[in-house]
Amino acid sequence: ERLDSNMNVTRSFDEKAIRNVVMTMIDDVIEDGTSHDCFTVKADEDCWLELDGCGYMHVSAHNRTTLDIHPYILKGKRHKSIQCGIASLKWVADNAPAMYKKIISQVPSIYPHIKKYTESLGFELEGTYKNSFTKNGQLYDLWLFGLEIKRP
C-alpha cells in the first residue's frame, strides 16, 4: 500500500541547481567510460521536479504515450525516497498532458535496492535488456519497469 505524501513538488527551471545536485551522484548512475560532459540539463525541454530540498525527479517524454522518469535523491535525504517518488507520481498524474498514459524506468541490475524501491512505488517489471549496462568493468542487465498513470 502506498503512503500519502505532503511533500512540496514544483517544476524547476534552475539548470545550475539541478546540475549541482546531479553531479553529486553522477558517478553512481553513469556507465563506465561516460564523460560527465555528456550530462546536460535542458529544463525548457524536459521536466525537472524539485522535491522539497531532497533532490530532483527527471521526467522526459519517451514517446507520445509514455514518460520516462529517473530520481536524483540526495544521499542525506534518501530516507525520504518513497515520499519523493509518491509525490512525483502524483505531480505527473495531476500535471502531465492527458496523452501520456504510462511511466517507464530502467534500473541496472547492479542496483537491486533500486529495483525494490521502484516496485514499492507500484511499478511492474515488464522486461529485461540483457547485458546492456557496463559498470565497474562488468556487464549488467537493465530491468525495464512500467506504471500506468492513475489520473484523479
Side-chain angles (χ1 to χ4, degrees):
E1 187 171 314
R2 291 175 40 181
L3 305 169
D4 288 329
S5 176
N6 294 325
M7 181 170 285
N8 185 33
V9 176
T10 56
R11 185 168 181 185
S12 176
F13 294 91
D14 187 343
E15 294 180 354
K16 183 178 179 186
I18 295 165
R19 185 172 175 77
N20 286 343
V21 166
V22 172
M23 285 297 128
T24 68
M25 63 195 82
I26 194 72
D27 290 325
D28 295 333
V29 298
I30 60 174
E31 247 186 315
D32 288 357
T34 305
S35 166
H36 290 188
D37 296 335
C38 290
F39 181 80
T40 59
V41 176
K42 297 179 181 170
D44 57 333
E45 293 177 19
D46 289 344
C47 180
W48 288 87
L49 302 178
E50 199 280 320
L51 305 171
D52 216 5
C54 294
Y56 293 91
M57 189 71 72
H58 182 210
V59 182
S60 60
H62 179 73
N63 58 32
R64 292 193 48 77
T65 304
T66 305
L67 295 169
D68 196 326
I69 195 167
H70 186 88
Y72 294 92
I73 309 297
L74 291 163
K75 287 184 180 176
K77 301 290 187 170
R78 293 197 177 152
H79 62 283
K80 294 184 176 183
S81 291
I82 300 258
Q83 292 92 332
C84 290
I86 291 168
S88 297
L89 294 174
K90 181 179 180 339
W91 189 96
V92 168
D94 292 346
N95 295 283
M99 69 186 196
Y100 294 111
K101 310 292 184 207
K102 188 169 190 166
I103 303 169
I104 61 170
S105 190
Q106 299 178 27
V107 177
S109 63
I110 189 175
Y111 304 119
H113 62 291
I114 303 297
K115 178 180 191 263
K116 287 179 186 175
Y117 167 69
T118 305
E119 290 171 332
S120 76
L121 295 175
F123 283 81
E124 293 182 20
L125 182 62
E126 295 186 341
T128 304
Y129 289 140
K130 300 286 185 183
N131 298 317
S132 57
F133 184 83
T134 305
K135 194 71 175 172
N136 305 322
Q138 294 186 339
L139 282 172
Y140 292 91
D141 296 344
L142 272 176
W143 292 312
L144 310 174
F145 286 92
L147 176 70
E148 289 185 32
I149 296 174
K150 306 279 192 277
R151 303 283 179 181

